[in-house]
Amino acid sequence: VINLSLGGPTRDDVLVEAVRAAADANVLLVCSAGNLGHNVDNEPSYPVALPARNLIGVDSLGPPSESAYRSR
């Protein structure tokens, strides 16, 4: 398992290849959904927006189980 607490608006070929290499090695990537409050389906942030079988995006929660202000 690798934690990737990073992200940005630009898709990068090197990052895409690293995600693929991790998938080939059966490594799970846990990626930040970002801190800008954007829906990453509408405004992609990478690497969380990459379509990869080994990648999951995470958000932070605040009370009462809603996305924390900086994660929306």
Side-chain angles (χ1 to χ4, degrees), residues 12-48:
D12 179 88
D13 290 339
V14 173
L15 184 60
V16 170
E17 183 53 38
V19 169
R20 283 188 192 134
D24 291 344
N26 294 315
V27 174
L28 175 65
L29 302 176
V30 180
C31 301
S32 166
N35 293 325
L36 299 176
H38 298 159
N39 179 330
V40 296
D41 291 329
N42 297 329
E43 297 180 55
S45 177
Y46 297 96
V48 75

